[in-house]
Amino acid sequence: MVTWFWQRRGAERKLQLRSRDDLGGADRVDFAELAPEVDTFLGQAAYLQLGYFETLTELIQTVPELSEKEAVARAAGAALTKHEALVALVRERGDDPTELMRPFREPLDAFRAATHGVRPQETMLSVHITAGMLDDFYLALSSSYAETGGRVARILQADSDRQAIVEILADTIASDPEWKSLLALWGRRLVGDTLLIARAALRPMGVGSADEEKVEPVFTELMAAHSRRMDAMGLAA
């Protein structure tokens, strides 16, 4: 079983941005020895998508404009479609999706709570960033699981239908310099927590070992993709 590590820093909130940027060479890095068991990989990936769906569904109630509700609903539907596809894959393998996801419910729910915004725009940014970084990370991991990993990669690479949310955020940022500063800070706060979730999904690593060298290129690419997403919205990473 994977051990999850992070600290929720009091009332401090964290969020981050995500667009569907290409991971570049990250998915070509071989760190298969550090990849978790396939059941762990599938259970985490499926519950992450369910979590995105839940957050976005709750968000529909908090946005005022009908166009915004429709945009969030489309993104929620895309997350649910990915979750259902992953659950179907788990069942094809003869496993119980609920049992595979159960160990990750508490830590991933806590992570989502810690990255939930006070304002709807912050929560939109949270989904955009955290989902983007973690989807990219699971795409990088997928190469460790042969045919099953290939199917997971195709599921995760499907359209997340979040472009309309990105446009809502871009309009918000352009409307007021205070929003730009707030969301830039919010995005920076999300990075650390999201990277901790990704790192904790791996098998335990030796201290000061070559394991760090295997993982470093992946996390470097995750940060580069994050910076590109932030830059695309006019925010400093």
Side-chain angles (χ1 to χ4, degrees):
M1 187 58 63
V2 175
T3 302
W4 297 81
F5 303 91
W6 74 84
Q7 292 181 333
R8 185 174 177 181
R9 304 182 190 115
E12 211 176 55
R13 294 182 180 269
K14 310 152 193 184
L15 273 92
Q16 300 173 334
L17 280 149
R18 144 113 171 140
S19 199
R20 289 298 300 180
D21 290 299
D22 194 311
L23 255 185
D27 58 351
R28 294 193 296 271
V29 176
D30 181 12
F31 62 142
E33 297 111 347
L34 301 178
E37 296 294 331
V38 65
D39 287 352
T40 297
F41 170 73
L42 291 172
Q44 290 170 336
Y47 196 75
L48 278 169
Q49 296 299 327
L50 183 60
Y52 303 153
F53 168 72
E54 184 175 348
T55 296
L56 289 163
T57 301
E58 293 169 353
L59 186 59
I60 294 171
Q61 304 173 44
T62 67
V63 294
E65 300 296 331
L66 179 58
S67 60
E68 295 176 346
K69 291 180 182 294
E70 290 175 339
V72 175
R74 289 195 300 272
L80 181 60
T81 296
K82 291 185 180 186
H83 167 73
E84 290 174 338
L86 290 167
V87 164
L89 175 56
V90 170
R91 288 200 175 106
E92 281 183 33
R93 291 171 50 82
D95 294 316
D96 181 344
T98 301
E99 292 306 311
L100 261 60
M101 290 187 290
R102 193 185 306 280
F104 313 109
R105 178 177 181 177
E106 183 176 346
L108 290 178
D109 282 357
F111 169 67
R112 287 195 305 115
T115 57
H116 196 285
V118 174
R119 305 165 187 84
Q121 293 88 343
E122 293 169 333
T123 303
M124 288 183 198
L125 185 58
S126 179
V127 173
H128 181 54
I129 291 303
T130 62
M133 294 184 75
L134 291 174
D135 281 0
D136 285 348
F137 178 71
Y138 276 82
L139 279 171
L141 271 182
S142 66
S143 61
S144 303
Y145 303 102
E147 181 182 352
T148 296
R151 292 181 63 181
V152 171
R154 289 191 289 276
I155 291 168
L156 294 180
Q157 287 170 326
D159 189 1
S160 295
D161 219 343
R162 291 196 290 266
Q163 184 55 38
I165 290 178
V166 173
E167 291 170 2
I168 292 169
L169 289 171
D171 289 344
T172 300
I173 291 163
S175 70
D176 188 334
E178 289 189 15
W179 268 116
K180 182 174 183 178
S181 298
L182 174 66
L183 292 176
L185 176 61
W186 188 260
R188 288 193 291 271
R189 285 178 173 176
L190 283 175
V191 174
D193 284 346
T194 307
L195 291 180
L196 283 175
I197 287 291
R199 183 175 288 271
L202 299 173
R203 295 178 188 270
M205 289 183 283
V207 177
S209 70
D211 292 346
E212 290 289 344
E213 295 180 7
K214 296 176 184 176
V215 173
E216 183 180 0
V218 175
F219 284 92
T220 298
E221 288 291 344
L222 291 180
M223 287 304 302
H226 167 67
S227 295
R228 292 192 294 272
R229 294 180 187 114
M230 295 286 276
D231 289 345
M233 299 179 68
L235 298 174

